[in-house]
Amino acid sequence: MSKKLDWKICWITGATGGIGREIALLLAKRGVKVAATARSKDQLADLAKQNSAISAFPADVTDAKALGGVAQQIEKQLGPIDLVIPSAGVYAPFNVAELDLKSIHRTNAVNIDGVVNTIAAALPFMLARHKGQIAIMGSLFGYTGLPESGSYGASKAYMINLAEGLELDLAPKGIAVSLINPGFVNTALNADYDRPKYFIMKPTKAARRIVEGLDKGGFEVAFPGRVAIFFKTIRVLPKRLMFWILRTAFARD
Ligand SMILES: NC(=O)c1ccc[n+]([C@@H]2O[C@H](COP(=O)([O-])OP(=O)(O)OC[C@H]3O[C@@H](n4cnc5c(N)ncnc54)[C@H](OP(=O)(O)O)[C@@H]3O)[C@@H](O)[C@H]2O)c1
């Protein structure tokens, strides 16, 4: 760890998931009070039992009003939120042969609206204090189109653009914005994804990379390095070549 963490209170959504849970546990172990949000009350209660620094604030991120209430509750019960990590997310394949509009809309609702709702709930408190950090959970898969990722990948491309825009708007107001772009992490989210998962990582390792990266204070935390370089460089190739590489690299086994 490069420097001592100076966050006191972190609000994380998707806190019962593979990545969110490990981030919550890691931050709590290091003395940060963690407000944990997800829908499952039982799983949140189980998480809170692991460390007394973790408190459960159940909510559905698609419910903007409920999230506003949660942010108020956290400020009242724990104190000022100085780090918010909107990490709740879902993956559903965009299968062009059998379009499932319901799951596509659900992905947009959780991965896009859910993140915007979370930021909107925490932002007024941060703006009033001219202080805070928003660490948006994107994905390296937001950098290019990928087979059957029309809705998940697009939702993550939104995160990249959103984080860049917010950084421009919020840095002058004293609020830091960070973008977290992991590659494949071994969680329930991609359990049904049946294409190659290059350099897949354990959630514990991903959480360590995330917390260390946020602690360093740069804008983007992207890993593993090889996958990050792949997705960022492939974008600048001629499109026909880019599509050929992506089709080949992500063909089903
Ligand atoms: N796994 C990867 O390979 C990978 C790679 C890059 C980025 N990411 C991103 O990292 C984040 C976490 O992913 P993960 O792999 O840890 O996923 P996960 O294990 O499937 O966990 C998803 C989490 O989101 C919560 N959630 C889902 N819908 C929700 C809703 N409507 N309201 C509130 N919470 C909701 C779930 O809890 P409940 O179901 O109880 O609500 C759970 O805590 C996501 O944004 C994902 O896109 C993942």
Side-chain angles (χ1 to χ4, degrees), residues 83-152:
L83 171 65
V84 61
I85 310 179
S87 178
V90 293
Y91 168 78
F94 193 109
N95 180 352
V96 289
E98 287 171 45
L99 268 194
D100 176 0
L101 272 183
K102 212 171 151 192
S103 73
I104 293 168
H105 290 155
R106 181 81 197 145
T107 305
N108 293 343
V110 177
N111 295 11
I112 298 177
D113 298 341
V115 171
V116 173
N117 291 341
T118 309
I119 294 170
L123 194 55
F125 296 104
M126 292 184 171
L127 282 172
R129 292 190 283 267
H130 303 282
K131 205 174 161 210
Q133 182 174 1
I134 299 169
I136 296 174
M137 186 65 80
S139 164
L140 289 175
F141 312 112
Y143 277 114
T144 66
L146 283 168
E148 293 185 358
S149 280
S151 74
Y152 180 80

Side-chain angles (χ1 to χ4, degrees), residues 14-20 37-40 43 59-62 87-90 106 110-111 137-141 152 156 182-190:
T16 57
I19 301 174
T37 291
R39 287 167 306 172
S40 165
Q43 286 181 39
D60 186 325
V61 295
T62 62
S87 178
V90 293
R106 181 81 197 145
V110 177
N111 295 11
M137 186 65 80
S139 164
L140 289 175
F141 312 112
Y152 180 80
K156 294 302 173 180
F184 286 108
V185 184
N186 200 358
T187 71
L189 181 118
N190 56 38

